mmCIF file of all heavy atoms in Angstrom:
data_model
loop_
_atom_site.group_PDB
_atom_site.id
_atom_site.type_symbol
_atom_site.label_atom_id
_atom_site.label_comp_id
_atom_site.label_asym_id
_atom_site.label_seq_id
_atom_site.Cartn_x
_atom_site.Cartn_y
_atom_site.Cartn_z
ATOM 1 N N VAL A 10 97.801 8.285 67.682
ATOM 2 C CA VAL A 10 96.514 8.160 66.992
ATOM 3 C C VAL A 10 96.246 9.505 66.288
ATOM 4 O O VAL A 10 96.253 10.581 66.910
ATOM 5 C CB VAL A 10 95.371 7.845 67.982
ATOM 6 C CG1 VAL A 10 94.038 7.826 67.281
ATOM 7 C CG2 VAL A 10 95.669 6.528 68.653
ATOM 8 N N GLU A 11 96.044 9.421 65.001
ATOM 9 C CA GLU A 11 95.745 10.626 64.160
ATOM 10 C C GLU A 11 94.583 10.341 63.273
ATOM 11 O O GLU A 11 94.724 10.104 62.103
ATOM 12 C CB GLU A 11 96.993 10.971 63.356
ATOM 13 C CG GLU A 11 98.136 11.427 64.215
ATOM 14 C CD GLU A 11 99.421 11.639 63.384
ATOM 15 O OE1 GLU A 11 99.484 11.238 62.219
ATOM 16 O OE2 GLU A 11 100.344 12.246 63.956
ATOM 17 N N GLY A 12 93.416 10.298 63.839
ATOM 18 C CA GLY A 12 92.212 10.027 63.075
ATOM 19 C C GLY A 12 91.043 10.036 64.018
ATOM 20 O O GLY A 12 91.191 10.244 65.248
ATOM 21 N N ASP A 13 89.910 9.780 63.480
ATOM 22 C CA ASP A 13 88.685 9.830 64.307
ATOM 23 C C ASP A 13 88.500 8.630 65.209
ATOM 24 O O ASP A 13 87.981 8.740 66.295
ATOM 25 C CB ASP A 13 87.470 9.979 63.370
ATOM 26 C CG ASP A 13 87.474 11.307 62.656
ATOM 27 O OD1 ASP A 13 88.062 12.280 63.178
ATOM 28 O OD2 ASP A 13 86.910 11.365 61.538
ATOM 29 N N VAL A 14 88.942 7.461 64.732
ATOM 30 C CA VAL A 14 88.756 6.225 65.551
ATOM 31 C C VAL A 14 90.016 5.364 65.459
ATOM 32 O O VAL A 14 90.751 5.386 64.448
ATOM 33 C CB VAL A 14 87.533 5.424 65.093
ATOM 34 C CG1 VAL A 14 86.244 6.169 65.285
ATOM 35 C CG2 VAL A 14 87.627 4.971 63.649
ATOM 36 N N ARG A 15 90.225 4.579 66.504
ATOM 37 C CA ARG A 15 91.322 3.589 66.528
ATOM 38 C C ARG A 15 90.935 2.557 67.567
ATOM 39 O O ARG A 15 90.426 2.903 68.616
ATOM 40 C CB ARG A 15 92.659 4.276 66.920
ATOM 41 C CG ARG A 15 93.834 3.367 67.007
ATOM 42 C CD ARG A 15 94.215 2.808 65.608
ATOM 43 N NE ARG A 15 95.546 2.261 65.560
ATOM 44 C CZ ARG A 15 95.879 1.023 65.921
ATOM 45 N NH1 ARG A 15 94.956 0.175 66.373
ATOM 46 N NH2 ARG A 15 97.129 0.626 65.843
ATOM 47 N N ASN A 16 91.141 1.329 67.260
ATOM 48 C CA ASN A 16 90.841 0.265 68.221
ATOM 49 C C ASN A 16 92.043 -0.691 68.334
ATOM 50 O O ASN A 16 92.935 -0.686 67.511
ATOM 51 C CB ASN A 16 89.561 -0.497 67.799
ATOM 52 C CG ASN A 16 89.677 -1.265 66.530
ATOM 53 O OD1 ASN A 16 90.193 -0.762 65.527
ATOM 54 N ND2 ASN A 16 89.225 -2.501 66.504
ATOM 55 N N ILE A 17 91.968 -1.468 69.399
ATOM 56 C CA ILE A 17 92.948 -2.519 69.617
ATOM 57 C C ILE A 17 92.170 -3.766 70.016
ATOM 58 O O ILE A 17 90.992 -3.711 70.376
ATOM 59 C CB ILE A 17 93.982 -2.182 70.760
ATOM 60 C CG1 ILE A 17 93.279 -1.911 72.069
ATOM 61 C CG2 ILE A 17 94.838 -0.983 70.320
ATOM 62 C CD1 ILE A 17 94.232 -1.707 73.252
ATOM 63 N N SER A 18 92.796 -4.925 69.911
ATOM 64 C CA SER A 18 92.229 -6.181 70.344
ATOM 65 C C SER A 18 93.365 -7.058 70.773
ATOM 66 O O SER A 18 94.487 -6.600 71.034
ATOM 67 C CB SER A 18 91.402 -6.795 69.241
ATOM 68 O OG SER A 18 90.636 -7.895 69.720
ATOM 69 N N ASN A 19 93.102 -8.352 70.893
ATOM 70 C CA ASN A 19 94.132 -9.275 71.353
ATOM 71 C C ASN A 19 95.049 -9.695 70.220
ATOM 72 O O ASN A 19 95.195 -10.872 69.925
ATOM 73 C CB ASN A 19 93.459 -10.517 71.982
ATOM 74 C CG ASN A 19 92.644 -10.128 73.152
ATOM 75 O OD1 ASN A 19 91.495 -9.706 72.985
ATOM 76 N ND2 ASN A 19 93.215 -10.179 74.346
ATOM 77 N N GLN A 20 95.655 -8.737 69.594
ATOM 78 C CA GLN A 20 96.637 -8.981 68.531
ATOM 79 C C GLN A 20 97.399 -7.678 68.298
ATOM 80 O O GLN A 20 96.968 -6.629 68.733
ATOM 81 C CB GLN A 20 95.946 -9.356 67.233
ATOM 82 C CG GLN A 20 95.151 -8.174 66.615
ATOM 83 C CD GLN A 20 94.563 -8.527 65.283
ATOM 84 O OE1 GLN A 20 93.846 -9.493 65.217
ATOM 85 N NE2 GLN A 20 94.836 -7.733 64.272
ATOM 86 N N LEU A 21 98.533 -7.817 67.667
ATOM 87 C CA LEU A 21 99.293 -6.620 67.315
ATOM 88 C C LEU A 21 98.634 -5.955 66.108
ATOM 89 O O LEU A 21 98.213 -6.642 65.175
ATOM 90 C CB LEU A 21 100.743 -6.979 66.975
ATOM 91 C CG LEU A 21 101.512 -7.644 68.144
ATOM 92 C CD1 LEU A 21 102.918 -7.969 67.676
ATOM 93 C CD2 LEU A 21 101.536 -6.699 69.371
ATOM 94 N N SER A 22 98.489 -4.658 66.149
ATOM 95 C CA SER A 22 97.820 -3.953 65.068
ATOM 96 C C SER A 22 98.617 -2.772 64.489
ATOM 97 O O SER A 22 98.218 -2.159 63.501
ATOM 98 C CB SER A 22 96.450 -3.419 65.567
ATOM 99 O OG SER A 22 96.605 -2.493 66.581
ATOM 100 N N ILE A 23 99.750 -2.446 65.139
ATOM 101 C CA ILE A 23 100.602 -1.389 64.581
ATOM 102 C C ILE A 23 101.372 -1.990 63.427
ATOM 103 O O ILE A 23 102.064 -3.016 63.592
ATOM 104 C CB ILE A 23 101.571 -0.840 65.641
ATOM 105 C CG1 ILE A 23 100.791 -0.141 66.739
ATOM 106 C CG2 ILE A 23 102.601 0.113 65.020
ATOM 107 C CD1 ILE A 23 101.628 0.344 67.925
ATOM 108 N N THR A 24 101.251 -1.426 62.254
ATOM 109 C CA THR A 24 101.916 -1.979 61.065
ATOM 110 C C THR A 24 103.138 -1.126 60.755
ATOM 111 O O THR A 24 104.167 -1.283 61.359
ATOM 112 C CB THR A 24 100.920 -2.092 59.895
ATOM 113 O OG1 THR A 24 100.369 -0.817 59.623
ATOM 114 C CG2 THR A 24 99.820 -3.093 60.224
ATOM 115 N N THR A 25 103.035 -0.230 59.768
ATOM 116 C CA THR A 25 104.165 0.535 59.335
ATOM 117 C C THR A 25 104.226 1.968 59.863
ATOM 118 O O THR A 25 105.256 2.618 59.806
ATOM 119 C CB THR A 25 104.221 0.609 57.784
ATOM 120 O OG1 THR A 25 103.017 1.188 57.327
ATOM 121 C CG2 THR A 25 104.386 -0.794 57.194
ATOM 122 N N LYS A 26 103.134 2.441 60.453
ATOM 123 C CA LYS A 26 103.132 3.785 61.088
ATOM 124 C C LYS A 26 103.586 3.651 62.518
ATOM 125 O O LYS A 26 102.834 3.363 63.401
ATOM 126 C CB LYS A 26 101.745 4.432 61.036
ATOM 127 C CG LYS A 26 101.703 5.849 61.571
ATOM 128 C CD LYS A 26 100.304 6.384 61.657
ATOM 129 C CE LYS A 26 100.255 7.776 62.254
ATOM 130 N NZ LYS A 26 100.895 7.977 63.541
ATOM 131 N N ILE A 27 104.888 3.849 62.723
ATOM 132 C CA ILE A 27 105.485 3.706 64.029
ATOM 133 C C ILE A 27 106.064 5.053 64.391
ATOM 134 O O ILE A 27 106.967 5.553 63.699
ATOM 135 C CB ILE A 27 106.571 2.608 64.040
ATOM 136 C CG1 ILE A 27 105.975 1.255 63.655
ATOM 137 C CG2 ILE A 27 107.231 2.562 65.432
ATOM 138 C CD1 ILE A 27 106.989 0.161 63.426
ATOM 139 N N ASP A 28 105.581 5.669 65.458
ATOM 140 C CA ASP A 28 106.051 7.006 65.883
ATOM 141 C C ASP A 28 107.117 6.924 66.957
ATOM 142 O O ASP A 28 107.914 7.859 67.071
ATOM 143 C CB ASP A 28 104.861 7.826 66.320
ATOM 144 C CG ASP A 28 103.880 8.075 65.165
ATOM 145 O OD1 ASP A 28 104.275 8.622 64.179
ATOM 146 O OD2 ASP A 28 102.698 7.689 65.320
ATOM 147 N N ARG A 29 107.122 5.898 67.746
ATOM 148 C CA ARG A 29 108.169 5.641 68.725
ATOM 149 C C ARG A 29 108.406 4.157 68.774
ATOM 150 O O ARG A 29 107.454 3.399 68.562
ATOM 151 C CB ARG A 29 107.764 6.158 70.125
ATOM 152 C CG ARG A 29 107.742 7.689 70.230
ATOM 153 C CD ARG A 29 107.421 8.209 71.619
ATOM 154 N NE ARG A 29 108.356 7.658 72.622
ATOM 155 C CZ ARG A 29 108.175 7.786 73.956
ATOM 156 N NH1 ARG A 29 107.150 8.467 74.404
ATOM 157 N NH2 ARG A 29 109.035 7.274 74.779
ATOM 158 N N GLU A 30 109.633 3.749 69.076
ATOM 159 C CA GLU A 30 109.912 2.332 69.089
ATOM 160 C C GLU A 30 111.065 1.986 70.027
ATOM 161 O O GLU A 30 111.910 2.871 70.353
ATOM 162 C CB GLU A 30 110.237 1.795 67.689
ATOM 163 C CG GLU A 30 111.507 2.410 67.102
ATOM 164 C CD GLU A 30 111.705 2.063 65.650
ATOM 165 O OE1 GLU A 30 110.799 2.410 64.832
ATOM 166 O OE2 GLU A 30 112.736 1.488 65.314
ATOM 167 N N HIS A 31 111.167 0.742 70.430
ATOM 168 C CA HIS A 31 112.303 0.297 71.200
ATOM 169 C C HIS A 31 113.540 0.498 70.321
ATOM 170 O O HIS A 31 113.521 0.191 69.125
ATOM 171 C CB HIS A 31 112.132 -1.205 71.542
ATOM 172 C CG HIS A 31 113.214 -1.753 72.392
ATOM 173 N ND1 HIS A 31 114.441 -2.094 71.921
ATOM 174 C CD2 HIS A 31 113.243 -2.005 73.757
ATOM 175 C CE1 HIS A 31 115.213 -2.548 72.915
ATOM 176 N NE2 HIS A 31 114.475 -2.514 73.987
ATOM 177 N N PRO A 32 114.665 0.989 70.894
ATOM 178 C CA PRO A 32 115.816 1.302 70.074
ATOM 179 C C PRO A 32 116.422 0.128 69.331
ATOM 180 O O PRO A 32 117.113 0.309 68.286
ATOM 181 C CB PRO A 32 116.833 1.883 71.070
ATOM 182 C CG PRO A 32 116.287 1.662 72.413
ATOM 183 C CD PRO A 32 114.827 1.348 72.308
ATOM 184 N N GLU A 33 116.157 -1.110 69.765
ATOM 185 C CA GLU A 33 116.708 -2.287 69.100
ATOM 186 C C GLU A 33 115.639 -3.114 68.408
ATOM 187 O O GLU A 33 115.881 -4.244 68.014
ATOM 188 C CB GLU A 33 117.444 -3.127 70.132
ATOM 189 C CG GLU A 33 118.606 -2.421 70.799
ATOM 190 C CD GLU A 33 119.114 -3.131 72.033
ATOM 191 O OE1 GLU A 33 118.720 -4.301 72.286
ATOM 192 O OE2 GLU A 33 119.927 -2.546 72.782
ATOM 193 N N LEU A 34 114.448 -2.554 68.237
ATOM 194 C CA LEU A 34 113.323 -3.280 67.652
ATOM 195 C C LEU A 34 113.632 -3.918 66.317
ATOM 196 O O LEU A 34 113.459 -5.120 66.127
ATOM 197 C CB LEU A 34 112.140 -2.338 67.517
ATOM 198 C CG LEU A 34 110.865 -2.919 66.886
ATOM 199 C CD1 LEU A 34 110.139 -3.781 67.911
ATOM 200 C CD2 LEU A 34 109.932 -1.788 66.428
ATOM 201 N N LYS A 35 114.165 -3.132 65.387
ATOM 202 C CA LYS A 35 114.434 -3.624 64.035
ATOM 203 C C LYS A 35 115.675 -4.520 64.006
ATOM 204 O O LYS A 35 115.659 -5.536 63.304
ATOM 205 C CB LYS A 35 114.561 -2.458 63.061
ATOM 206 C CG LYS A 35 113.230 -1.701 62.898
ATOM 207 C CD LYS A 35 113.380 -0.453 62.067
ATOM 208 C CE LYS A 35 112.045 0.270 62.015
ATOM 209 N NZ LYS A 35 112.176 1.635 61.507
ATOM 210 N N GLU A 36 116.683 -4.182 64.754
ATOM 211 C CA GLU A 36 117.900 -4.981 64.734
ATOM 212 C C GLU A 36 117.629 -6.386 65.317
ATOM 213 O O GLU A 36 118.148 -7.381 64.836
ATOM 214 C CB GLU A 36 119.009 -4.294 65.515
ATOM 215 C CG GLU A 36 119.676 -3.180 64.769
ATOM 216 C CD GLU A 36 120.227 -3.597 63.413
ATOM 217 O OE1 GLU A 36 120.912 -4.626 63.288
ATOM 218 O OE2 GLU A 36 119.885 -2.887 62.429
ATOM 219 N N TYR A 37 116.793 -6.450 66.357
ATOM 220 C CA TYR A 37 116.440 -7.741 66.934
ATOM 221 C C TYR A 37 115.679 -8.588 65.917
ATOM 222 O O TYR A 37 115.945 -9.768 65.769
ATOM 223 C CB TYR A 37 115.632 -7.553 68.215
ATOM 224 C CG TYR A 37 115.266 -8.854 68.884
ATOM 225 C CD1 TYR A 37 116.221 -9.578 69.558
ATOM 226 C CD2 TYR A 37 113.948 -9.346 68.825
ATOM 227 C CE1 TYR A 37 115.926 -10.763 70.192
ATOM 228 C CE2 TYR A 37 113.629 -10.551 69.460
ATOM 229 C CZ TYR A 37 114.628 -11.262 70.132
ATOM 230 O OH TYR A 37 114.300 -12.467 70.753
ATOM 231 N N ALA A 38 114.739 -7.958 65.193
ATOM 232 C CA ALA A 38 113.978 -8.692 64.203
ATOM 233 C C ALA A 38 114.917 -9.185 63.094
ATOM 234 O O ALA A 38 114.764 -10.319 62.610
ATOM 235 C CB ALA A 38 112.894 -7.780 63.590
ATOM 236 N N LYS A 39 115.894 -8.397 62.703
ATOM 237 C CA LYS A 39 116.855 -8.811 61.675
ATOM 238 C C LYS A 39 117.702 -9.973 62.184
ATOM 239 O O LYS A 39 117.924 -10.975 61.483
ATOM 240 C CB LYS A 39 117.778 -7.684 61.281
ATOM 241 C CG LYS A 39 117.176 -6.777 60.205
ATOM 242 C CD LYS A 39 117.995 -5.522 59.947
ATOM 243 C CE LYS A 39 119.315 -5.779 59.315
ATOM 244 N NZ LYS A 39 120.011 -4.524 58.927
ATOM 245 N N SER A 40 118.118 -9.925 63.469
ATOM 246 C CA SER A 40 118.984 -10.988 64.042
ATOM 247 C C SER A 40 118.220 -12.311 64.118
ATOM 248 O O SER A 40 118.857 -13.358 64.078
ATOM 249 C CB SER A 40 119.502 -10.571 65.407
ATOM 250 O OG SER A 40 118.478 -10.653 66.394
ATOM 251 N N LYS A 41 116.913 -12.287 64.239
ATOM 252 C CA LYS A 41 116.084 -13.491 64.315
ATOM 253 C C LYS A 41 115.654 -13.997 62.948
ATOM 254 O O LYS A 41 115.060 -15.032 62.829
ATOM 255 C CB LYS A 41 114.844 -13.240 65.134
ATOM 256 C CG LYS A 41 115.115 -13.010 66.623
ATOM 257 C CD LYS A 41 115.615 -14.299 67.211
ATOM 258 C CE LYS A 41 115.665 -14.264 68.707
ATOM 259 N NZ LYS A 41 116.130 -15.533 69.248
ATOM 260 N N GLY A 42 115.954 -13.197 61.884
ATOM 261 C CA GLY A 42 115.563 -13.619 60.542
ATOM 262 C C GLY A 42 114.105 -13.274 60.224
ATOM 263 O O GLY A 42 113.554 -13.806 59.258
ATOM 264 N N TRP A 43 113.455 -12.459 61.022
ATOM 265 C CA TRP A 43 112.049 -12.118 60.840
ATOM 266 C C TRP A 43 111.878 -10.986 59.824
ATOM 267 O O TRP A 43 110.799 -10.813 59.268
ATOM 268 C CB TRP A 43 111.400 -11.694 62.144
ATOM 269 C CG TRP A 43 111.455 -12.692 63.234
ATOM 270 C CD1 TRP A 43 111.588 -14.054 63.121
ATOM 271 C CD2 TRP A 43 111.304 -12.445 64.633
ATOM 272 N NE1 TRP A 43 111.561 -14.658 64.341
ATOM 273 C CE2 TRP A 43 111.400 -13.675 65.298
ATOM 274 C CE3 TRP A 43 111.138 -11.287 65.388
ATOM 275 C CZ2 TRP A 43 111.318 -13.803 66.680
ATOM 276 C CZ3 TRP A 43 111.052 -11.379 66.750
ATOM 277 C CH2 TRP A 43 111.125 -12.638 67.394
ATOM 278 N N TRP A 44 112.901 -10.210 59.629
ATOM 279 C CA TRP A 44 112.869 -9.033 58.741
ATOM 280 C C TRP A 44 114.195 -8.940 58.022
ATOM 281 O O TRP A 44 115.265 -9.051 58.643
ATOM 282 C CB TRP A 44 112.543 -7.799 59.529
ATOM 283 C CG TRP A 44 112.490 -6.507 58.779
ATOM 284 C CD1 TRP A 44 111.656 -6.201 57.754
ATOM 285 C CD2 TRP A 44 113.259 -5.331 59.017
ATOM 286 N NE1 TRP A 44 111.875 -4.917 57.309
ATOM 287 C CE2 TRP A 44 112.850 -4.363 58.072
ATOM 288 C CE3 TRP A 44 114.260 -4.991 59.880
ATOM 289 C CZ2 TRP A 44 113.411 -3.095 58.039
ATOM 290 C CZ3 TRP A 44 114.832 -3.747 59.862
ATOM 291 C CH2 TRP A 44 114.406 -2.794 58.919
ATOM 292 N N ASP A 45 114.157 -8.696 56.703
ATOM 293 C CA ASP A 45 115.417 -8.665 55.939
ATOM 294 C C ASP A 45 116.102 -7.327 55.938
ATOM 295 O O ASP A 45 117.191 -7.177 55.432
ATOM 296 C CB ASP A 45 115.154 -9.149 54.472
ATOM 297 C CG ASP A 45 114.207 -8.227 53.721
ATOM 298 O OD1 ASP A 45 113.855 -7.122 54.219
ATOM 299 O OD2 ASP A 45 113.806 -8.630 52.630
ATOM 300 N N GLY A 46 115.460 -6.285 56.465
ATOM 301 C CA GLY A 46 116.065 -4.958 56.512
ATOM 302 C C GLY A 46 115.899 -4.208 55.239
ATOM 303 O O GLY A 46 116.288 -3.034 55.139
ATOM 304 N N LYS A 47 115.280 -4.810 54.226
ATOM 305 C CA LYS A 47 115.114 -4.136 52.923
ATOM 306 C C LYS A 47 113.679 -3.686 52.743
ATOM 307 O O LYS A 47 113.457 -2.544 52.338
ATOM 308 C CB LYS A 47 115.521 -5.084 51.795
ATOM 309 C CG LYS A 47 117.011 -5.431 51.852
ATOM 310 C CD LYS A 47 117.368 -6.429 50.807
ATOM 311 C CE LYS A 47 118.873 -6.821 51.019
ATOM 312 N NZ LYS A 47 119.191 -8.126 50.551
ATOM 313 N N LYS A 48 112.727 -4.564 52.941
ATOM 314 C CA LYS A 48 111.333 -4.150 52.772
ATOM 315 C C LYS A 48 110.917 -3.297 53.928
ATOM 316 O O LYS A 48 111.552 -3.267 54.974
ATOM 317 C CB LYS A 48 110.435 -5.367 52.570
ATOM 318 C CG LYS A 48 110.313 -6.259 53.785
ATOM 319 C CD LYS A 48 109.389 -7.437 53.506
ATOM 320 C CE LYS A 48 109.399 -8.330 54.696
ATOM 321 N NZ LYS A 48 108.634 -9.542 54.539
ATOM 322 N N GLU A 49 109.795 -2.541 53.746
ATOM 323 C CA GLU A 49 109.301 -1.659 54.798
ATOM 324 C C GLU A 49 109.021 -2.481 56.062
ATOM 325 O O GLU A 49 108.436 -3.553 55.998
ATOM 326 C CB GLU A 49 108.020 -0.935 54.310
ATOM 327 C CG GLU A 49 107.498 0.084 55.251
ATOM 328 C CD GLU A 49 106.334 0.861 54.708
ATOM 329 O OE1 GLU A 49 105.558 0.328 53.904
ATOM 330 O OE2 GLU A 49 106.156 2.012 55.129
#
């Protein structure tokens, strides 16, 4: 969190600002066809 306020709710809210991640996060998404590996 780098700002004055941040909230969460019953949904995912982390978009493109990812500071730490599961080591296979993006590869798993690619293997499922959820992300093409090209767009952000």
Side-chain angles (χ1 to χ4, degrees):
V10 177
E11 294 174 347
D13 295 332
V14 296
R15 179 67 162 85
N16 65 314
I17 59 174
S18 190
N19 299 84
Q20 69 176 53
L21 299 178
S22 62
I23 294 174
T24 57
T25 58
K26 183 187 178 306
I27 301 171
D28 297 302
R29 289 184 55 189
E30 65 189 59
H31 184 283
E33 299 166 11
L34 178 75
K35 293 174 184 166
E36 284 306 311
Y37 182 73
K39 276 172 68 174
S40 75
K41 291 292 191 180
W43 301 338
W44 179 59
D45 63 9
K47 295 175 185 154
K48 65 181 177 184
E49 186 175 29

